[in-house]
Amino acid sequence: MRILVLGAGATGGYFGGRLAEAGADVTFLVRPKRARLLAEKGLRIQSPHGDAAFPVKTVTADTLSGHWDMVLLSCKAYDLDESIKAIAPAVGPESAVLPILNGLAHYGPLDAAFGPGRVIGGLCHIFSTLGADGEIVHMNNINRITFGERSGGTSARTEALAKAFGPAKCETRHSPEIMQEAWEKYVLLAPLAGMTCLMRASVGTIMATGDGEAIMREMFEECAAVASHAGHAPRPEARDLALGFLTQKGSAMTASMMRDLEAGGPTEGEHIVGDMLRRARAAGLAAPLLRTALTHLQAYEIRRKG
Amino acid sequence: MRILVLGAGATGGYFGGRLAEAGADVTFLVRPKRARLLAEKGLRIQSPHGDAAFPVKTVTADTLSGHWDMVLLSCKAYDLDESIKAIAPAVGPESAVLPILNGLAHYGPLDAAFGPGRVIGGLCHIFSTLGADGEIVHMNNINRITFGERSGGTSARTEALAKAFGPAKCETRHSPEIMQEAWEKYVLLAPLAGMTCLMRASVGTIMATGDGEAIMREMFEECAAVASHAGHAPRPEARDLALGFLTQKGSAMTASMMRDLEAGGPTEGEHIVGDMLRRARAAGLAAPLLRTALTHLQAYEIRRKG
């Protein structure tokens, strides 16, 4: 199975790197500058699960040719259009595309570009970043990638991918109900991102206010109602897990979106909070807190762009 | 009429200064350092209505003695307790206290300290600040002070104050319905402060988002409902004026509270937004946006204090 990974950044570089390290046939589609650095120093990972540095195959846009069996895609949502263009030449009739973005809004554009049959469901749990010298720095113990057929069950291609991931130093979940899992992550992420951005504060700080916990729970319920309407109500365990994270007293947790916002950068606000709100509205569900959080994010973007 | 002004800052210094400039018997209760500066350079006002620099009478806490006819109070709400202590020795049986703070929450503590009969209703409209050298810098054309008996109508003491203000270089309103006017200012200020803080953005930026105008109007209606329940529904003209400011496209307007917040300083969040929310709840009115805005302000304060 020939696997193409778009970029060699904090997420794609990590999972693609773990695959390559484990012996899978992986190529990174990168810009020329990144290709030179990888040729010189190899792909470097710093992680509690083991540091690594090893040579990897790279290709650049102008040398990209032929079709890959699997394309791993882990861009920021606001770079999705550009990323679709970048990988398009590598996607043929037999190719599959595995996006590991947050939320669900990217499936529409990916299906439109490649056909729904080529787009596998995926998500990941990892906290990683790029170091100053281009190395991938994995920050804690969590490094899970989850994938599966969006229609449910398994297939030869997802089995093959699971086999490639088998010996890799990351936790792999080949899920027969990937969309349920994607929704369960989404109903945790959307309130976390929406609330920590709207309040410009960590979960613990929000919990220390008079009404923060009540508001957090209400925003979770807005999102859970959207998931239920889509046929993916969070299961009791997922609900407890999400509410546990979202209401944990003293927690320093914020969404990466809130950190992006405080750093003055672009955010995935429309992709995560905006998409959830639009789904709520399409379902005829009131979602006043999602609406307020999205307005905050939109005001931020307008101000940021001056 | 002997008038004592607490402080000689941006607001009290301006109105007290205009009174003194017009020949009223005004004394400023200030700290020793401020007293020395005033003795050396006089009270200085820079304003489109005329620059001025003139000697003023000052008194400090340790030299304060006797009772004044009128005490003008224009502290920040979070300094109210300290300010009440400062002026208490100057308030006797025949004294009146005129607070020109925003909102309404200060009347409770003032009434408790001095008795409701001694506390006149007041408010002001001014945009001023202290300059680097201690001068009072008045930023635009607006410099209105409004006062009156809280029970309505007029009285000898408010007539006397109006007479003292008569020749002063500021707009004076001796109002027979001061509480109606205070509420009308409050139902403009609370949504302005609540929304510009919650969104961390100017009115114009909020208006440029998808739902910002709708949310702003809803927050205004939450506040207007509280005012109505208190018997002070905003009159049509006040409603139009408030909504005009609150929904003006392209407006750079923010509340001073939002500027305080972005500068990392303390805010009057509990005094303005918190008090309005508590009044809503006491009246059995839902106020979800006030609640969300207050939570944002509380999270900010918790974070600020570390």
Side-chain angles (χ1 to χ4, degrees), chain A residues 198 200 218 291 296, chain B residues 198 200 218 291 296 303:
Chain A
L198 179 60
R200 301 268 181 123
E218 286 169 27
R291 183 178 70 145
H296 182 104
Chain B
L198 179 60
R200 301 269 180 122
E218 286 169 28
R291 183 178 70 145
H296 182 106
R303 221 181 149 189

Side-chain angles (χ1 to χ4, degrees), chain A residues 2-154:
Chain A
R2 291 174 71 228
I3 301 170
L4 183 72
V5 178
L6 179 67
T11 305
Y14 185 83
F15 291 109
R18 289 306 190 192
L19 273 175
E21 182 188 29
D25 183 356
V26 176
T27 302
F28 291 90
L29 170 56
V30 289
R31 294 216 170 79
K33 192 179 164 188
R34 185 76 173 151
R36 285 193 297 274
L37 189 70
L38 289 169
E40 187 189 333
K41 304 201 170 178
L43 184 77
R44 289 157 297 149
I45 296 175
Q46 291 173 11
S47 166
H49 292 273
D51 291 357
F54 48 87
V56 290
K57 290 193 282 189
T58 64
V59 64
T60 54
D62 57 331
T63 60
L64 181 64
S65 71
H67 297 152
W68 262 260
D69 299 315
M70 182 71 64
V71 180
L72 184 67
L73 182 66
S74 69
C75 60
K76 287 283 185 182
Y78 42 79
D79 291 329
L80 182 63
D81 290 348
E82 195 191 338
S83 299
I84 286 173
K85 278 182 205 147
I87 64 172
V91 180
E94 305 301 321
S95 301
V97 175
L98 172 60
I100 49 173
L101 285 72
N102 281 320
L104 297 170
H106 49 286
Y107 287 109
L110 285 169
D111 288 352
F114 304 121
R118 290 197 186 86
V119 184
I120 296 177
L123 57 97
C124 66
H125 293 80
I126 190 162
F127 184 38
S128 56
T129 185
L130 269 191
D133 194 34
E135 73 278 20
I136 294 151
V137 182
H138 174 215
M139 320 286 277
N140 62 11
N141 270 308
I142 301 165
N143 64 353
R144 187 201 300 165
I145 185 164
T146 306
F147 54 84
E149 291 294 340
R150 283 193 287 160
S151 53
T154 63

Side-chain angles (χ1 to χ4, degrees), chain B residues 228-299:
Chain B
S228 298
H229 187 271
H232 293 287
R235 294 164 290 192
E237 193 182 332
R239 167 179 275 278
D240 292 348
L241 184 77
L243 283 172
F245 276 117
L246 293 171
T247 65
Q248 194 181 334
K249 286 181 177 51
S251 167
M253 182 182 276
T254 61
S256 63
M257 193 186 296
M258 184 272 205
R259 298 190 297 272
D260 291 341
L261 182 154
E262 293 219 310
T267 76
E268 293 186 323
E270 290 291 343
H271 185 79
I272 301 298
V273 179
D275 178 65
M276 186 68 89
L277 175 61
R278 284 182 283 274
R279 288 173 190 268
R281 284 178 166 165
L285 298 165
L289 289 167
L290 284 167
R291 183 178 70 145
T292 304
L294 181 65
T295 302
H296 182 106
L297 288 159
Q298 289 178 341

Side-chain angles (χ1 to χ4, degrees), chain B residues 10 38 56 73 79 94 111 123 153 157 165 204 232 277 290 302:
Chain B
L38 289 168
V56 289
L73 183 66
D79 291 330
E94 305 300 323
D111 288 353
L123 56 98
R157 61 187 182 181
F165 266 114
H232 293 287
L277 175 61
L290 284 167
I302 291 166

